[in-house]
Amino acid sequence: MILRAFSKALIFTWQFSGLMHPDLNITLFSNYVRRLFNDVIYEGETMSLIEMKEVLKDYPLGKTIVKALRGINFTVERGDFLSVVGASGSGKTTMLNIIGCIDAPTSGTVKIDGNDITMLNDKELTKLRLYKIGFIFQTFNLIPVLNVRENVEFPLLLMKDLSKSEIRARAEKFIEAVGIKEFIKHRPAELSGGQRQRVAIARSLATNPDIVLADEPTANLDSETGESILELMKNLNEKEKTTFIFSTHDQRVLKYAKHIVRLTDGKISD
Amino acid sequence: MKQLIKIAWRNILKHKGKSIVIGTILFLGSFLMTVGNGVISGMDKGLQKNIVDKYTGHIVLISSEQQEDNVIFSQMGKPVEIIEGFDGIKKILDANNLIDKYLPVGKEFVMLFNEDGEPGYTLIMGVDFVEYQKMFGDNIVAEEGNLLKKNERGVLITTKQREEFYDYYNYWCVPENSQAVEKNLSEDAKLNVKNLNIKRDIVFMGFSEKNSALDIRTKIKGIVKFSSLNSIWGHINFCDIESFRECFGWVTSNDINAELSKGQQTLLNIDESNLEALFGGNMETIEDNTPHKNLPEDPSKTDSVKPNSFKNQADTGVRDSGAYNIVFIKLKKPEDIDKTIKELSVKINELKLKCRVISWKKAVGQIADIAAIIRAALFGFVMLLFFVAIIIIMNTLSMTALERVSEIGMMRAVGASKGFISGMFVFETAILSFIFGGSGIIAGIITTEIIAFQNITTSNDFLQLLYGGDSFMPLLGAGDVAAGIIQLVIVTILSMIYPVLIARKITPLDAISRE
């Protein structure tokens, strides 16, 4: 707390001391200073994995502004299995996109593992997505020209800090875990929807992310496959302590959730 | 890197249609660029070979009084100024190690006299023909009659000029002691074969805006043809240097030393601005009974001539070893043109010689200009190909990028950087460029070799300029192939910039929005 107060005081002093040339971009500079202290401030402190404060998200739609999120405040702890529910257009996907660092809030703060994502540049956000977040999307899933193993290996290769054998071992471990080992050399076009979703899950887990974001993961699956995938995620959540956040309409998903966040018109209603 | 190449290669295979379209453009573009480079290079070398080796040498020395550089195809009536002090010039040319050989000549327009009709004009070059052959080899061949021998007087008419003389003045030139050869007659002459007005000698007179001198009748020794670019150089006829000097009144130093009568001296001393005095009542009648008494009996033995100003000659007392208005200079190494011009210019300035040196391109004037224009047009054509190829490839790649928003967005979502996405596109285009563009270059090289092997010849003026001679000899050196590769790389880079920018801008959100 003392350190945080000190850093805020420093930023304030820096901004208003008059030492900086007025033409300099003060916001950017102060952001830099804040980022500099970010790690120091949060190092060793107990904190939530995800923190959203007063998050607003507006989308311009022609001449009107659509308010997708209207002041979201909530936290997600490590190892949670959270389901975000709500009617279509309630802001579920927008919230997930912001948590996944693929969209930015109009205002408010979003911290992922202590990193204020509104302060990060594209390179840093990309790195954050690579190391801390796994995605399971509703429809767009896999790289069509790569086979199952190569798809799972893809983010591991991007990390550049793993050996070839380690990458291979990790990929095969998760492919086996999602039960598609026999399709390891198949390309996405040769797999069913459920199998593709399993590959996506394997890929999202292979990097050992802190958070897995799944946007309606069962929407395109038959009930049996959907159940088996949810079961798989539940097991991984329990074994690996991976945090799962779902957005869903599917009532079946809810029974797996530890917590449920209900969104109505861009606000948490429950 | 390996992953990038793998994804790029598989994307190429996956999008076969687009890959083939891009590949075909790259193939055709690089093929045409390579052949174009070969044509440009062949033309360059051809011009060098034909004009430099056979007509002008690398450097041309002219009088410092000469205003226009274009002394070969100068404007009619505009004389090419006479080079004074050739003795001194000869010394610096002999002393220069970069010079292989040189040939002084006289070149001017002459008036042709025709007993049966209007007078005409033609270009004539006075040379020591044996020396000319030493300098320029066998670029002139006798179609009828013979070439000029050592010290032989006479004129050589080109086939082109003979046809023009027939068209304009209605006579057909043949060498002395010979008849018209039917197979060599022009189409028009053939129609009138029985009534051809045959001429075996020709009367011409030096003619320019500055002077008109003696008319001389000279025997036609041969009808000649240039081995290449005859349609251009065929405007120039040849005669021995002494006949040339005589008809222009470039008199020998023997004339200079002549003792002039009082009357002649008075005439020479008349102020040029007061020529009316010549016709004044007080003018002394001039009796000149020995107009050419000082001309040597054998003009070839003359080693001293001087331009036609007796007055200046008398004043300066300079003795020249010959009067010429152009000196063609060949170098040991063609690349030394600029260096030699510089060296000679320094020497000329030091010794205060009344001459200057120019490159062959300046000396041939519009011929080099036309060649440069054709070359520029070819280069422009290649650039147009470049441009079209870039636009088509850019468009196709941009479409590919936009069609792959989901894939690219997903890659970005799972941690691929913008650099990775750029790399993917760069590798895709580079692989296509390497395979198809490389094949195009190889095909271009093979085609160029085949064309050169075919020895395609032409008598068309424009094509001769385009070919740099009378045969189409595209030529590809290592530099041209390297230029082709560089052009291909430039096309590849330029065509991928915009699609890469599009791809880099694709965000995971774009992918989701599209879904």
Side-chain angles (χ1 to χ4, degrees):
Chain A
M1 288 299 286
I2 294 166
L3 199 55
R4 188 175 296 181
F6 172 73
S7 69
K8 279 186 177 172
L10 184 72
I11 292 161
F12 182 82
T13 313
W14 191 276
Q15 284 181 350
F16 297 102
S17 63
L19 290 171
M20 285 174 66
H21 192 278
D23 288 344
L24 283 176
N25 187 329
I26 291 172
T27 311
L28 279 178
F29 194 78
S30 62
N31 283 348
Y32 174 76
V33 176
R34 286 167 68 182
R35 277 162 47 195
L36 196 71
F37 283 91
N38 217 16
D39 293 339
V40 182
I41 293 162
Y42 296 121
E43 197 178 348
E45 285 189 17
T46 310
M47 59 190 162
S48 302
L49 182 63
I50 302 164
E51 256 186 72
M52 294 182 92
K53 277 184 190 169
E54 295 300 327
V55 173
L56 296 177
K57 181 65 187 178
D58 298 340
Y59 287 114
L61 191 71
K63 287 180 180 174
T64 59
I65 301 286
V66 175
K67 294 188 178 296
L69 297 178
R70 302 163 184 245
I72 299 290
N73 289 292
F74 90 124
T75 56
V76 180
E77 302 303 327
R78 236 168 253 279
D80 204 344
F81 202 95
L82 181 80
S83 189
V84 182
V85 294
S88 188
S90 60
K92 301 186 300 291
T93 302
T94 304
M95 197 167 90
L96 252 64
N97 288 345
I98 290 173
I99 294 170
C101 305
I102 57 179
D103 202 355
T106 309
S107 68
T109 44
V110 180
K111 285 178 183 167
I112 307 292
D113 202 18
N115 297 290
D116 186 347
I117 64 166
T118 58
M119 300 294 162
L120 303 180
N121 62 28
D122 184 73
K123 239 180 191 174
E124 290 162 330
L125 287 172
T126 304
K127 222 166 192 179
L128 194 72
R129 286 198 297 266
L130 178 62
Y131 284 93
K132 292 198 178 291
I133 303 166
F135 289 94
I136 304 163
F137 297 103
Q138 197 183 133
T139 47
F140 80 100
N141 267 320
L142 305 170
I143 301 168
V145 294
L146 300 181
N147 64 29
V148 168
R149 179 161 59 201
E150 289 162 345
N151 261 291
V152 177
E153 285 177 348
F154 180 75
L156 299 171
L157 286 162
L158 293 174
M159 287 176 151
K160 291 177 183 167
D161 46 11
L162 297 171
S163 69
K164 207 176 171 182
S165 57
E166 205 175 345
I167 289 169
R168 182 59 53 96
R170 264 215 227 180
E172 287 180 356
K173 176 188 158 190
F174 283 97
I175 289 166
E176 199 170 352
V178 296
I180 48 165
K181 200 181 174 188
E182 63 269 37
F183 301 106
I184 201 160
K185 288 190 175 169
H186 287 229
R187 288 203 185 172
E190 298 159 352
L191 301 173
S192 69
Q195 287 165 336
R196 283 184 215 174
Q197 203 64 304
R198 283 163 187 261
V199 179
I201 292 166
R203 185 187 61 196
S204 68
L205 297 170
T207 55
N208 287 339
D210 293 334
I211 309 157
V212 173
L213 298 168
D215 189 9
E216 309 218 21
T218 55
N220 293 326
L221 305 178
D222 58 74
S223 57
E224 197 183 332
T225 313
E227 285 285 341
S228 70
I229 281 176
L230 285 166
E231 204 60 51
L232 172 73
M233 290 196 229
K234 186 73 184 167
N235 288 340
L236 288 166
N237 170 251
E238 283 166 4
K239 284 181 191 167
E240 308 284 337
K241 296 290 173 206
T242 307
T243 306
F244 281 85
I245 303 176
F246 294 90
S247 99
T248 186
H249 284 111
D250 192 346
Q251 289 298 315
R252 289 173 302 170
V253 179
L254 298 179
K255 69 180 181 190
Y256 290 91
K258 288 179 184 169
H259 297 100
I260 296 171
V261 171
R262 199 171 297 279
L263 281 178
T264 309
D265 297 334
K267 282 183 178 175
I268 295 173
S269 56
D270 188 9
Chain B
M1 176 75 89
K2 203 176 162 190
Q3 192 186 22
L4 266 175
I5 296 171
K6 184 162 59 182
I7 294 173
W9 175 245
R10 289 187 188 171
N11 270 323
I12 288 169
L13 296 179
K14 189 179 176 227
H15 303 105
K16 281 194 188 80
K18 286 191 183 71
S19 301
I20 287 170
V21 168
I22 295 171
T24 307
I25 294 161
L26 284 167
F27 176 85
L28 287 173
S30 53
F31 171 77
L32 291 171
M33 279 190 289
T34 307
V35 174
N37 284 344
V39 171
I40 291 171
S41 190
M43 181 187 162
D44 245 4
K45 295 265 165 41
L47 273 177
Q48 182 91 349
K49 189 166 182 277
N50 284 294
I51 297 181
V52 171
D53 287 0
K54 296 183 175 179
Y55 300 101
T56 64
H58 302 92
I59 293 173
V60 176
L61 187 142
I62 53 177
S63 164
S64 53
E65 300 292 315
Q66 177 65 31
Q67 287 182 344
E68 305 287 333
D69 285 344
N70 176 8
V71 287
I72 309 292
F73 297 101
S74 52
Q75 196 183 332
M76 195 171 85
K78 280 264 182 195
V80 178
E81 298 291 343
I82 300 157
I83 299 166
E84 290 186 41
F86 186 70
D87 261 350
I89 292 165
K90 195 172 179 297
K91 278 175 192 161
I92 65 162
L93 296 180
D94 288 334
N96 193 301
N97 291 328
L98 301 173
I99 294 172
D100 183 28
K101 44 194 153 187
Y102 60 90
L103 176 78
V105 302
K107 195 235 80 182
E108 274 297 3
F109 269 98
V110 290
M111 188 181 277
L112 290 172
F113 287 103
N114 177 13
E115 296 91 333
D116 307 318
E118 293 289 311
Y121 305 94
T122 191
L123 268 173
I124 203 146
M125 191 177 278
V127 293
D128 178 331
F129 202 78
V130 175
E131 292 303 314
Y132 181 90
Q133 283 178 306
K134 282 182 193 167
M135 177 84 170
F136 294 119
D138 56 353
N139 73 327
I140 295 171
V141 287
E143 196 160 281
E144 292 171 32
N146 301 302
L147 299 175
L148 291 172
K149 296 180 185 74
K150 187 78 182 167
N151 300 332
E152 185 180 25
R153 285 208 173 207
V155 65
L156 302 174
I157 305 290
T158 64
T159 51
K160 185 174 179 64
Q161 284 285 278
R162 175 165 73 170
E163 287 182 16
E164 285 179 3
F165 292 168
Y166 181 76
D167 291 343
Y168 297 133
Y169 318 126
N170 203 28
Y171 55 77
W172 187 256
C173 296
V174 296
E176 62 172 345
N177 308 321
S178 67
Q179 300 298 321
V181 180
E182 198 168 342
K183 70 178 174 68
N184 291 340
L185 294 176
S186 66
E187 292 304 315
D188 287 344
K190 275 178 188 166
L191 298 174
N192 192 30
V193 67
K194 286 180 183 169
N195 299 312
L196 275 180
N197 180 10
I198 301 288
K199 272 192 179 289
R200 295 182 179 83
D201 54 30
I202 199 160
V203 180
F204 60 90
M205 184 176 82
F207 163 81
S208 77
E209 65 179 14
K210 289 196 176 176
N211 64 37
S212 56
L214 287 177
D215 53 308
I216 59 167
R217 183 178 292 275
T218 314
K219 289 190 187 314
I220 299 169
K221 294 290 177 179
I223 303 297
V224 297
K225 191 177 178 179
F226 287 93
S227 59
S228 61
L229 298 173
N230 188 58
S231 51
I232 296 160
W233 295 88
H235 290 101
I236 302 174
N237 304 292
F238 287 84
C239 73
D240 63 282
I241 185 70
E242 293 307 331
S243 300
F244 180 90
R245 286 170 177 159
E246 277 176 28
C247 84
F248 277 94
W250 295 2
V251 297
T252 66
S253 54
N254 288 339
D255 293 315
I256 300 156
N257 296 332
E259 280 183 23
L260 301 178
S261 66
K262 192 183 170 189
Q264 286 170 326
Q265 196 63 54
T266 310
L267 257 181
L268 287 172
N269 290 335
I270 289 172
D271 186 348
E272 283 175 8
S273 62
N274 189 23
L275 291 174
E276 287 84 357
L278 279 170
F279 307 102
N282 299 328
M283 191 65 209
E284 192 175 325
T285 307
I286 299 165
E287 287 181 17
D288 188 358
N289 298 323
T290 56
H292 299 296
K293 67 180 182 183
N294 292 311
L295 280 172
E297 284 178 12
D298 180 356
S300 65
K301 288 175 184 170
T302 303
D303 63 353
S304 287
V305 287
K306 180 66 191 169
N308 59 347
S309 170
F310 286 89
K311 186 178 175 184
N312 288 344
Q313 185 63 56
D315 288 347
T316 59
V318 173
R319 288 176 62 91
D320 290 320
S321 61
Y324 307 98
N325 57 9
I326 299 171
V327 182
F328 297 123
I329 301 166
K330 268 191 180 177
L331 304 179
K332 288 172 185 164
K333 292 179 187 169
E335 61 271 21
D336 286 339
I337 292 180
D338 291 339
K339 190 180 169 188
T340 315
I341 288 176
K342 208 172 173 183
E343 279 187 15
L344 289 176
S345 299
V346 169
K347 276 280 171 199
I348 287 166
N349 284 338
E350 272 177 17
L351 300 171
K352 293 190 170 62
L353 296 171
K354 293 177 179 176
C355 62
R356 61 192 176 96
V357 277
I358 56 173
S359 71
W360 67 272
K361 282 183 182 169
K362 285 184 177 174
V364 296
Q366 65 266 43
I367 301 298
D369 290 346
I370 292 166
I373 289 165
I374 295 169
R375 195 178 155 184
L378 263 174
F379 186 72
F381 174 69
V382 171
M383 287 298 112
L384 189 69
L385 277 175
F386 241 71
F387 185 70
V388 172
I390 288 168
I391 296 293
I392 297 173
I393 295 169
M394 192 189 285
N395 186 49
T396 314
L397 283 173
S398 301
M399 294 296 287
T400 307
L402 291 170
E403 281 172 11
R404 283 157 62 183
V405 167
S406 300
E407 183 188 331
I408 294 165
M410 186 272 297
M411 285 180 173
R412 294 279 286 127
V414 300
S417 63
K418 284 182 176 178
F420 182 89
I421 303 299
S422 307
M424 200 168 72
F425 270 80
V426 168
F427 272 107
E428 276 184 44
T429 322
I431 290 169
L432 285 173
S433 186
F434 179 75
I435 295 171
F436 289 95
S439 308
I441 289 174
I442 292 167
I445 293 169
I446 294 168
T447 307
T448 306
E449 290 297 321
I450 291 171
I451 293 170
F453 185 71
Q454 296 295 312
N455 195 25
I456 300 163
T457 55
T458 182
S459 55
N460 179 282
D461 288 9
F462 177 79
L463 287 177
Q464 282 202 351
L465 265 178
L466 183 69
Y467 297 175
D470 55 2
S471 59
F472 186 38
M473 290 291 282
L475 187 73
L476 273 173
D480 301 307
V481 176
I485 293 169
I486 291 166
Q487 285 165 341
L488 179 65
V489 170
I490 292 170
V491 168
T492 308
I493 291 170
L494 290 179
S495 58
M496 73 168 70
I497 290 173
Y498 184 62
V500 163
L501 287 176
I502 289 178
R504 280 173 71 92
K505 281 182 183 167
I506 294 170
T507 64
L509 202 59
D510 293 328
I512 293 169
S513 309
R514 179 170 276 214
E515 291 298 324

